[in-house]
Amino acid sequence: MGFSKRLHCLRWNSRKTGLQEAGVAVVKRKGATTRPESIGRVLLAWYARSKRDLPWRASSPDPYAVWVSEIMLQQTQVERVREFFVRFMERFPTVHDLAAAREPTVLKYWEGLGYYRRARQLHAAAKQIVHEHGGEFPRTVEGLRSLPGIGRYTAGAIGSIAFDLATPIVEANSRRVIARLVGHAAPLDGPGGDEPIWEIAAGLVPPRHPGRFNQALMDLGAMICTPKLPLCSRCPLASACVAHQTNRVAAIPAQAKRRPVKQVQETAVVLRHGESVLVERRGPGEWWEGLWDFPRGSGTAAKRGRRLGLVTYSVTHHRIECAVREQIMTRRTTPTKAQRWVKVTSLDALAMTAPGRRIARLVARSGD
Ligand code: SF4
């Protein structure tokens, strides 16, 4: 008998999954029960047939590669991570190589991925692994979580994928799949967050092949159970899925109200002396801490000089329009501790903020 016929009733093990506490709606029909083990079996079989081919997936996963890829994948699309991952691993093939590198070099290899705090924490954790753990990753979720930048999700990913720990991981894709599977209609980004989903995920993850199971949930969310127009007719979990069975797929997961976008206007001032320009490093607590950019001007100083163009970018809920002006200097000003005069042709070698890099291109073009 096929999976869809055997699973007439969806009745989760509420003690194991925490489903009751989460107040999640459950579809019940006559007959058998849809147990987490059945979900696991079906999902693992689907994964064996359909998994994505990704450069960090290996038959015996290396915790270092899993870790680097998972940190890169936070806030960044898989397709974009592919090329960065390969380049990063060529330059820092082991945790020892990463620990021995200088921070500007690490940031340079991170440039373009954004959210540079991730790179700094990756670097700090690599040093800790080498100096305090003899170069070996801790093999428990608690041990992994004691490292900088490794939270619940990343510890679960490394633990389950590299060390076969039966621990859940919940990220955007698996969160959506689980919410729909059990019909969890409350917003996951509102109060209470996605804690109920973590509890359900903990009850689903099987003792055998937990890493594959977690990756299968993520792949299903990325390829089949997509945010818009999911392919339920091709989904291996369709017969067990509460959202699908009750026609609520489009409504789950619900979205909390978004913060309104704030418009910000600023001016980047490119001070130029001959072939050199003044750049400054973003300080602690600023967006893009540790990366180079052009100074921002205010008042009349920001209105002087030739306009090179406009760079627009978004950070969190801010939408920023940055006018770029070039001021030709007859002599170099004395740079502050955070500033430096650099040749326009050397800007490529600096780790720069995303808008800084775009301004640098305007500067390079203006000299053509
Ligand atoms: S049946 Fe549809 S909504 Fe349910 S898990 Fe599959 S793709 Fe997602």
Side-chain angles (χ1 to χ4, degrees):
M1 196 189 296
F3 178 68
S4 58
K5 289 206 174 141
R6 274 187 289 115
L7 308 180
H8 293 301
C9 171
L10 186 67
R11 190 170 65 231
W12 298 73
N13 177 344
S14 62
R15 186 181 54 78
K16 194 177 178 193
T17 63
L19 206 61
Q20 242 165 21
E21 295 87 324
V24 173
V26 176
V27 170
K28 289 182 183 175
R29 299 188 212 152
K30 289 178 192 162
T33 304
T34 299
R35 294 179 187 284
E37 306 87 75
S38 310
I39 300 280
R41 249 194 332 273
V42 171
L43 209 49
L44 285 173
W46 173 84
Y47 184 67
R49 293 192 304 274
S50 315
K51 69 178 170 192
R52 290 176 290 180
D53 182 20
L54 300 172
W56 48 88
R57 285 186 175 165
S59 48
S60 51
D62 165 22
Y64 175 66
V66 173
W67 174 48
V68 171
S69 67
E70 291 298 342
I71 299 289
M72 285 186 172
L73 284 164
Q74 291 167 14
Q75 326 274 355
T76 312
Q77 299 289 326
V78 167
E79 286 313 312
R80 191 155 173 70
V81 167
R82 275 180 196 268
E83 56 177 299
F84 280 94
F85 175 80
V86 171
R87 209 165 59 105
F88 194 91
M89 293 300 280
E90 277 169 6
R91 175 63 182 78
F92 313 107
T94 68
V95 71
H96 294 274
D97 298 306
L98 182 57
R102 289 176 59 244
E103 185 175 289
T105 312
V106 177
L107 292 178
K108 183 68 195 151
Y109 275 77
W110 202 268
E111 190 186 322
L113 275 172
Y115 300 93
Y116 290 85
R117 190 157 178 263
R118 295 180 296 173
R120 273 189 293 275
Q121 291 191 318
L122 194 78
H123 191 213
K127 288 183 184 167
Q128 204 166 313
I129 290 165
V130 167
H131 298 129
E132 295 175 24
H133 300 275
E136 297 288 330
F137 279 73
R139 285 178 166 260
T140 62
V141 168
E142 298 70 35
L144 289 164
R145 287 191 71 172
S146 70
L147 296 168
I150 298 193
R152 191 179 194 180
Y153 164 78
T154 312
I158 301 170
S160 66
I161 298 170
F163 300 134
D164 266 343
L165 301 177
T167 186
I169 56 179
V170 173
E171 44 68 81
N173 287 317
S174 55
R175 181 188 295 125
R176 184 170 58 253
V177 173
I178 293 172
R180 286 174 172 164
L181 187 61
V182 302
H184 183 78
L188 299 174
D189 44 1
D194 54 10
E195 190 55 38
I197 303 295
W198 276 97
E199 290 181 24
I200 295 161
L204 286 175
V205 67
R208 290 194 69 222
H209 308 308
R212 271 188 242 168
F213 175 84
N214 285 335
Q215 291 175 95
L217 269 181
M218 293 193 280
D219 278 15
L220 192 76
M223 298 157 74
I224 303 284
C225 193
T226 48
K228 288 182 186 147
L229 301 176
L231 306 170
C232 300
S233 60
R234 287 171 47 191
C235 177
L237 302 181
S239 63
C241 175
V242 175
H244 179 56
Q245 297 292 338
T246 57
N247 286 325
R248 288 186 295 145
V249 171
I252 298 176
Q255 303 286 331
K257 278 203 179 127
R258 301 218 168 276
R259 284 172 84 178
V261 173
K262 202 170 162 190
Q263 303 285 345
V264 177
Q265 252 104 38
E266 64 179 21
T267 303
V269 181
V270 179
L271 298 181
R272 186 167 186 146
H273 179 260
E275 290 308 307
S276 298
V277 288
L278 187 76
V279 289
E280 70 182 22
R281 195 175 226 153
R282 293 282 173 110
E286 288 189 82
W287 290 330
W288 292 292
E289 179 190 339
L291 298 188
W292 294 91
D293 202 333
F294 293 86
R296 298 297 188 264
S298 56
T300 47
K303 294 196 179 84
R304 285 203 296 267
R306 180 166 71 118
R307 189 177 159 105
L308 294 185
L310 185 76
V311 169
T312 56
Y313 60 99
S314 297
V315 183
T316 61
H317 63 290
H318 297 82
R319 175 89 185 134
I320 298 147
E321 283 193 348
C322 177
V324 183
R325 288 192 174 269
E326 182 185 57
Q327 296 174 13
I328 305 297
M329 313 294 287
T330 48
R331 61 180 185 83
R332 289 185 182 191
T333 55
T334 309
T336 65
K337 258 170 129 182
Q339 294 179 331
R340 191 199 279 182
W341 284 95
V342 290
K343 285 217 153 51
V344 173
T345 48
S346 302
L347 288 171
D348 263 357
L350 288 184
M352 296 194 88
T353 68
R357 178 59 67 211
R358 289 167 61 198
I359 296 167
R361 284 197 205 109
L362 286 177
V363 173
R365 277 208 298 271
S366 78
D368 288 349

